[in-house]
Amino acid sequence: MAPTSEILTAERILEATEEVLRRHGPAKATVVDVARALGVSHGSVYRHFRTKAALREAVTKRWLDRTSGELSGIAAADRDPEARLRDWLAALFAAKRRKAGDDPELFATYTVLTGENGTAVSEHIADLTAQLARVIRAGMESGSFTAPDPEATARAVFQATARFHDPGYAREWREEGVEADFEAVVDLLVRGLRA
């Protein structure tokens, strides 16, 4: 094992885990592989993450949080709610497409990991729908949108746009005409919110 002069942090472990997952895939990646990549013993990794499952959940949460972080600024912006909603949905679609297209091996790995980590996924979806609810509430307050319940409406908008962010549809994101389909769905939703 190569000696390391850097302090071992949870963040360094997560970065190394991501690289190991990219290289070996979720079925073959081990904590020993992560430790080897860091030049430490596997016990050092276990001091930060008590189990392999905890490590995999943390790396999944970190991956999902990147998308949430990208979107939170749009949701919080002080501007026209309709434009914010359109931009937020477009940014979500773009982020998911980018992840699937730029690093398909890692995207496939995370698709497996998100299936294992229901808590991380549930928290991610709750965060995203809360961001949507914030935008919809702002639209209601400005008179741009009419909705009886911003939280329920946010869940409905999220579910109605699943084709453009649910990893199960990733193959369709490269198809010709997907952008036009996305715009048509968003236009329909916005018209419905204005009613």
Side-chain angles (χ1 to χ4, degrees):
M1 237 173 268
T4 181
S5 61
E6 292 183 62
I7 296 172
L8 187 62
T9 63
E11 185 60 25
R12 280 192 59 225
I13 294 169
L14 293 174
E15 287 171 6
T17 302
E18 192 169 280
E19 189 54 41
V20 167
L21 286 165
R22 180 181 284 115
R23 218 174 321 134
H24 300 293
K28 294 182 181 176
T30 68
V31 174
V32 171
D33 294 326
V34 173
R36 190 175 299 122
L38 290 163
V40 300
S41 71
H42 66 282
S44 297
V45 174
Y46 282 123
R47 279 193 276 286
H48 289 271
F49 298 96
R50 300 193 60 74
T51 64
K52 179 180 177 180
L55 177 58
R56 288 165 73 107
E57 182 164 0
V59 81
T60 302
K61 181 176 177 350
R62 179 178 183 253
W63 185 68
L64 294 171
D65 286 351
R66 287 183 194 136
T67 301
S68 295
E70 288 178 38
L71 298 170
S72 65
I74 297 169
D78 186 19
R79 46 189 278 263
D80 174 59
E82 181 180 325
R84 280 169 45 198
L85 178 61
R86 288 178 181 278
D87 289 350
W88 191 94
L89 291 169
L92 176 61
F93 185 29
K96 297 294 182 159
R97 282 178 84 182
R98 189 172 52 252
K99 287 179 178 187
D102 291 354
D103 199 345
E105 294 83 12
L106 195 57
F107 186 78
T109 293
Y110 279 115
T111 300
V112 170
L113 294 181
T114 57
E116 294 174 358
N117 295 297
T119 302
V121 172
S122 296
E123 289 171 359
H124 177 65
I125 291 171
D127 179 47
L128 295 181
T129 55
Q131 289 182 31
L132 271 174
R134 181 177 187 173
V135 174
I136 291 166
R137 190 175 298 103
M140 292 168 61
E141 290 167 0
S142 72
S144 301
F145 299 152
T146 58
D149 178 349
E151 286 76 18
T153 302
R155 286 190 303 276
V157 168
F158 191 76
Q159 292 165 1
T161 57
R163 178 180 174 216
F164 307 104
H165 56 78
D166 185 314
Y169 294 95
R171 288 185 187 169
E172 295 179 20
W173 299 342
R174 294 176 293 210
E175 291 179 2
E176 188 175 322
V178 72
E179 291 89 1
D181 291 347
F182 171 76
E183 291 298 328
V185 169
V186 172
D187 286 344
L188 179 67
L189 291 169
V190 168
R191 280 195 309 273
L193 287 169
R194 283 192 213 132

